[in-house]
Amino acid sequence: MTGASSAERVKTCIVTGGAPAKVLALARQLRPDFVQLHYTETFEETQEIARALAADGIAVIRSVSGDRAMRKAAYGTDELPEIINLLLQSAVSGILLDSRDAGNAARGGSGVLGEMGGELTHALRDEIRAAGKLLIVGGGITAENAAAVYRTFAPDVLDVMTGAEDADGRKSAERIRQYILHST
């Protein structure tokens, strides 16, 4: 699976997390293209879910928090290169570097550039691509910083949520247009 072809084929993705049995039941009922694990699953739970869903033709994206304590709890280390190496050897299809996590979701994250911008090296990006996994970046991305995020991370996909919404939580056509203008 290559990054570009994977991103082009995505039709549905559910964002969930928790106990493997719960995640598996939900995914098997809804049958999305991707399941994005975005809670406090351990690496072992992530691997269990990814292997089981791969057999069902459902790919898994695993988020990696910008919060070092959350990374330590989930992966046994807070070092991004070690976490990425674990995930490269796993059955996940995509790695999401995201400053938005279970602890700060209501606030929309604190900004992936500030939290993880210096941690992802060119060599790690190359390893992710060589392994055929998607690199996704999210958290605190706005039209104004989208180009800097692209330059810093060179992701396959930007995961944009609150930065493209109006105050009422609805997607804004104008804000999305601004992403496109600032990113090209």
Side-chain angles (χ1 to χ4, degrees):
M1 175 186 310
T2 63
S5 65
S6 299
E8 291 167 4
R9 76 163 191 82
V10 172
K11 295 181 183 120
T12 58
C13 178
I14 60 171
V15 179
T16 190
K22 173 194 158 255
V23 173
L24 294 172
L26 181 65
R28 287 173 174 150
Q29 178 184 2
L30 297 176
R31 305 290 310 161
D33 293 303
F34 279 81
V35 169
Q36 179 180 311
L37 297 176
H38 210 285
Y39 191 52
T40 58
E41 300 80 22
T42 65
F43 175 73
E44 292 76 17
E45 291 169 326
T46 298
Q47 183 70 323
E48 177 184 344
I49 293 166
R51 283 182 179 151
L53 290 181
D56 293 335
I58 300 171
V60 171
I61 298 167
R62 180 58 171 112
S63 69
V64 178
S65 173
D67 181 275
R68 288 186 172 273
M70 290 188 78
R71 293 191 324 214
K72 180 87 169 166
Y75 300 100
T77 180
D78 64 353
E79 295 298 323
L80 188 60
E82 292 177 36
I83 294 167
I84 288 176
N85 283 324
L86 279 172
L87 293 173
L88 290 178
Q89 298 169 41
S90 76
V92 302
S93 297
I95 299 170
L96 168 60
L97 304 180
D98 199 347
S99 68
R100 183 182 178 119
D101 55 47
N104 68 16
R107 296 186 313 275
S110 59
V112 70
L113 276 170
E115 286 188 4
M116 301 170 115
E119 291 188 81
L120 185 71
T121 66
H122 292 288
L124 282 175
R125 282 196 304 261
D126 292 346
E127 288 178 40
I128 292 167
R129 291 205 172 80
K133 299 188 189 290
L134 288 170
L135 173 59
I136 306 162
V137 178
I141 301 172
T142 64
E144 294 74 26
N145 69 12
V149 171
Y150 270 115
R151 282 191 306 276
T152 301
F153 296 98
D156 296 302
V157 177
L158 279 183
D159 183 348
V160 177
M161 196 165 126
T162 54
E165 294 175 351
D166 287 327
D168 63 0
R170 293 179 189 213
K171 296 295 181 236
S172 162
E174 180 56 32
R175 286 181 184 232
I176 292 169
R177 194 173 2 270
Q178 290 301 313
Y179 275 97
I180 294 166
L181 291 174
H182 282 88
S183 297
T184 57

